[in-house]
């Protein structure tokens, strides 16, 4: 179980923190982690500054890194699609992903700010 987040904040019901096993939340958190950002595991995260926010990013390599990170979520059985839109001027990227679990298929996009 995890603490459920809603728009980046803890979700409460009747003054209690809501707990839920959210596959989608796990994926979003993993995709928003920058490499070496988490102090308890300096190997966690994606090195966006090294591979994404550069002059000529290799989108195939980035897509593979993102797919690997999504597959690190235990419940994910298949990554159907990953699309990356990069705005090099604003140093932002939008990652759209579609994944399957044993029970559901999820589609979501995540914005990464550099």
């Amino acid at each position: 179980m995890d603490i459920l987040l809603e728009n980046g904040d803890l979700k409460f019901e009747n003054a209690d923190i809501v707990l839920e096993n959210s596959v989608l939340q796990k994926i979003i958190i993993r995709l928003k982690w920058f490499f070496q950002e988490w102090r308890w595991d300096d190997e966690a995260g994606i090195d966006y500054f090294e591979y994404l926010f550069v002059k000529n990013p290799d989108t195939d390599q980035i897509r593979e890194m993102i797919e690997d990170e999504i597959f690190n979520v235990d419940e994910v059985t298949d990554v159907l699609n990953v699309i990356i839109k990069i705005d090099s001027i604003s140093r932002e990227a939008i990652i759209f992903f579609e994944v399957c679990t044993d029970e559901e298929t999820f589609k979501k996009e995540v914005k990464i700010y550099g």
Side-chain angles (χ1 to χ4, degrees), residues 39-94:
R39 68 168 140 180
W40 290 286
D41 183 358
D42 63 356
E43 295 299 313
I46 299 173
D47 198 347
Y48 290 117
F49 290 115
E50 179 77 23
Y51 297 101
L52 182 68
F53 298 121
V54 295
K55 187 171 185 177
N56 294 312
D58 182 346
T59 54
D60 291 331
Q61 181 181 25
I62 297 164
R63 184 178 304 104
E64 185 176 314
M65 292 167 57
I66 289 169
E67 288 174 358
D68 289 345
E69 197 65 34
I70 292 171
F71 268 122
N72 283 330
V73 175
D74 291 334
E75 296 88 348
V76 173
T77 58
D78 195 13
V79 178
L80 301 175
N81 197 8
V82 173
I83 299 171
I84 306 161
K85 295 180 183 175
I86 303 168
D87 184 343
S88 57
I89 294 173
S90 65
R91 293 180 52 108
E92 296 176 354
I94 296 175

